[in-house]
Amino acid sequence: MPTLILVRHGRSTANTSGLLAGRTPGVALDERGAAQAAALPARLAGLPLSEVVTSPLQRCRETVRPLLEARPGLRSHTEERIGECDYGDWSGRKLAELTDEPLMEVVQAHPSAAAFPGGESMRAMQTRAAEAVREWNARVERDHGADALYLMCSHGDIIKSLVADALGLHLDLFQRISVEPCSITAIRYTRLRPFLVRLGDTGDFASLAPREEPSEGDAPVGGGAGAP
């Protein structure tokens, strides 16, 4: 079965503003995010990608644009099911103010029970994304062979949930996974089991350095802004 290259979109204006973008329209890459996207073709130069599949949201489409321009023969597809979690009434709000919401504790410690007001549950988010991957695996294998590689550009919580699915982890453990903007995660699927072969690889170790403001241990909903 194929190998899936998961790319989180580059850093966005919502990331740097501390907003939970969700499906809010018009959220673009910021200057650093655009530079991350511009570097993506060189980072992936050695990979014979067969297809590109992207979330319909602007920040993902902007992330893959330099790659598609560098490879004019590479086909691109939009897949609604790998779009951002529908955070409902939380969309567009400051993350700092959401920390006081009682639901945030559930999102952190028991996400399989979390459903966003006016939006979707985290279980539903994982289910739709995993179903999309399984269908695209079959399609890519049919069209390009069992050793094919293809790329999906999606969002932090989506990618974390797909990693948890591949590892057989309960969704309640997915907040232990971290993927930074424009990081690369690779999952090699086989008939019996998937193998996680890369996780959140940016090629940059700056995010491992101590922060001026240490984390309190909560996972950033939506994925966070990455290294400063």
Side-chain angles (χ1 to χ4, degrees):
M1 297 180 71
T3 295
L4 170 60
I5 310 298
L6 287 161
V7 177
R8 185 183 166 201
H9 62 78
R11 196 174 74 176
S12 73
T13 54
N15 292 145
T16 45
S17 300
L19 297 175
L20 183 61
R23 299 179 178 183
T24 305
V27 176
L29 299 182
D30 68 5
E31 185 176 352
R32 179 171 179 174
Q36 290 171 332
L40 197 58
R43 293 172 64 197
L44 299 173
L47 299 182
L49 297 173
S50 59
E51 308 274 357
V52 168
V53 185
T54 182
S55 157
L57 292 175
Q58 179 179 340
R59 52 196 183 273
C60 287
R61 291 185 284 106
E62 288 180 349
T63 298
V64 299
R65 185 177 299 149
L67 176 65
L68 296 173
E69 291 173 351
R71 302 193 193 192
L74 188 58
R75 291 189 298 177
S76 177
H77 313 267
T78 300
E79 173 57 74
E80 297 281 346
R81 291 172 295 176
I82 63 167
E84 180 64 286
C85 183
D86 185 355
Y87 297 116
D89 297 344
W90 280 24
S91 301
R93 292 180 61 187
K94 285 277 189 181
L95 286 164
E97 70 183 38
L98 291 171
T99 58
D100 294 329
E101 294 279 355
L103 179 60
M104 181 61 84
E105 186 177 15
V106 182
V107 170
Q108 293 294 326
H110 192 16
S112 65
F116 296 97
E120 69 179 333
S121 70
M122 302 198 93
R123 291 191 319 278
M125 173 198 73
Q126 183 186 44
T127 298
R128 63 172 165 83
E131 287 177 349
V133 166
R134 283 163 174 75
E135 290 180 19
W136 275 99
N137 282 348
R139 178 174 173 174
V140 169
E141 182 174 7
R142 180 196 68 206
D143 294 345
H144 302 283
D147 295 327
L149 290 83
Y150 74 107
L151 182 147
M152 278 187 170
C153 184
S154 188
H155 307 267
D157 282 349
I158 295 287
I159 293 172
K160 287 162 56 178
S161 74
L162 290 171
V163 170
D165 176 75
L167 293 176
L169 293 177
H170 196 283
L171 184 61
D172 286 346
L173 300 178
F174 100 126
Q175 298 290 29
R176 303 183 183 194
I177 299 166
S178 176
V179 290
E180 291 201 356
C182 224
S183 63
I184 293 172
T185 294
I187 303 171
R188 179 171 295 126
Y189 289 87
T190 74
R191 186 174 64 87
L192 297 180
R193 64 184 63 88
F195 293 90
L196 179 65
V197 292
R198 292 289 187 280
L199 176 61
D201 189 342
T202 63
D204 180 358
F205 296 108
S207 63
L208 299 180
R211 303 287 180 94
E212 290 184 8
E213 298 180 1
S215 169
E216 296 180 357
D218 283 345
V221 181

